[in-house]
Amino acid sequence: MARKVFFSVSMSLDGFVAPESPEELMGPLWRELQQWIFPQRFFRENLNLGTGGEEGRDNDIVRETFERTGASVMGKRMFDAGERMWPEDPPFHTPVFVVTHEKRDPWERLGGTTFHFVNDGVESALDRAREAAGDRDVRIAGGGTTILEYVNAGLVDEFSIALSPVLFGSGIRLFEGVDAGRVALEQIRSEPSPRATHVTYAVRRR
């Protein structure tokens, strides 16, 4: 069975992980938030963007996140944006379980990615992802609302945030509505890089 449930996101210095409007998701401001990851060699190779790219700690973090992930879970909002933007060979290369009210057959893509649509809640999606992940971890890929559901349900073991040097001013805050009375954090590591600051926490119940 899967070892850990985790999430790994980029966050602005004022606490936002995405624009408010779905039309702006993956738009210019979102790309600025993610500017640390685009030049990385592993990221470029994983998305078939060509050879070359930066190597170093940022690149290692991207690779390590990918290698530990045996299955992913995401919300419908993230899937809808990605369905329009992802190439035929999406960057997951694992089963992905989409939490949704929509009934839809699995959507198989190139490179080992198959999207499965789960209609009976976040715990059911996680159960299916754990089974699919084998002895690797399950990543809650996003978006922010879905991540928060898993945190408040006590289902997240660990998370990493790449603090990107950008200010949003408004949008979707990662921890807006968190049940702080139930969640305690233990810092595992903090790593500065030329493009971002990476912090990782274990999640404990109070």
Side-chain angles (χ1 to χ4, degrees), residues 94-164:
T94 67
V96 179
F97 296 86
V98 182
V99 181
T100 178
H101 297 295
E102 177 187 5
K103 291 187 177 180
R104 178 171 169 178
D105 291 334
W107 188 39
E108 187 173 347
R109 307 298 284 158
L110 298 179
T113 300
T114 299
F115 295 93
H116 303 269
F117 302 89
V118 183
N119 311 119
D120 50 352
V122 294
E123 292 195 32
S124 176
L126 181 57
D127 288 342
R128 292 182 61 182
R130 285 184 187 274
E131 184 176 356
D135 61 357
R136 292 198 287 169
D137 296 339
V138 173
R139 181 182 184 184
I140 310 301
T145 301
T146 300
I147 288 172
L148 189 64
E149 284 188 78
Y150 279 98
V151 171
N152 283 343
L155 297 172
V156 173
D157 301 308
E158 183 180 296
F159 65 85
S160 297
I161 294 173
L163 284 170
S164 189

Side-chain angles (χ1 to χ4, degrees), residues 10-194:
S10 299
M11 185 173 76
S12 69
L13 290 180
D14 51 349
F16 297 98
V17 293
E20 186 68 44
S21 169
E23 287 72 30
E24 296 176 5
L25 195 62
M26 300 189 183
L29 190 56
W30 181 87
R31 290 196 295 270
E32 188 176 351
L33 177 68
Q34 305 290 346
Q35 62 185 332
W36 72 273
I37 198 172
F38 291 127
Q40 305 309 317
R41 182 186 186 104
F42 185 88
F43 181 83
R44 290 178 55 79
E45 291 175 349
N46 195 36
L47 275 174
N48 297 314
L49 298 177
T51 58
E54 295 181 4
E55 298 188 42
R57 188 60 189 137
D58 283 331
N59 188 64
D60 291 344
I61 287 170
V62 178
R63 186 185 66 254
E64 289 163 5
T65 301
F66 176 85
E67 290 177 347
R68 71 183 287 194
T69 302
S72 295
V73 176
M74 70 176 59
K76 183 65 162 49
R77 183 177 187 265
M78 181 176 178
F79 172 79
D80 285 345
E83 187 177 18
R84 299 191 302 268
M85 302 290 293
W86 290 317
E88 285 189 77
D89 184 356
F92 302 98
H93 308 301
T94 67
V96 179
F97 296 86
V98 182
V99 181
T100 178
H101 297 295
E102 177 187 5
K103 291 187 177 180
R104 178 171 169 178
D105 291 334
W107 188 39
E108 187 173 347
R109 307 298 284 158
L110 298 179
T113 300
T114 299
F115 295 93
H116 303 269
F117 302 89
V118 183
N119 311 119
D120 50 352
V122 294
E123 292 195 32
S124 176
L126 181 57
D127 288 342
R128 292 182 61 182
R130 285 184 187 274
E131 184 176 356
D135 61 357
R136 292 198 287 169
D137 296 339
V138 173
R139 181 182 184 184
I140 310 301
T145 301
T146 300
I147 288 172
L148 189 64
E149 284 188 78
Y150 279 98
V151 171
N152 283 343
L155 297 172
V156 173
D157 301 308
E158 183 180 296
F159 65 85
S160 297
I161 294 173
L163 284 170
S164 189
V166 59
L167 299 172
F168 262 42
S170 64
I172 296 177
R173 289 188 182 276
L174 179 59
F175 294 114
E176 187 75 43
V178 69
D179 187 355
R182 296 182 59 196
V183 178
L185 304 178
E186 176 187 335
Q187 183 163 303
I188 296 175
R189 59 184 170 271
S190 176
E191 302 178 82
S193 78

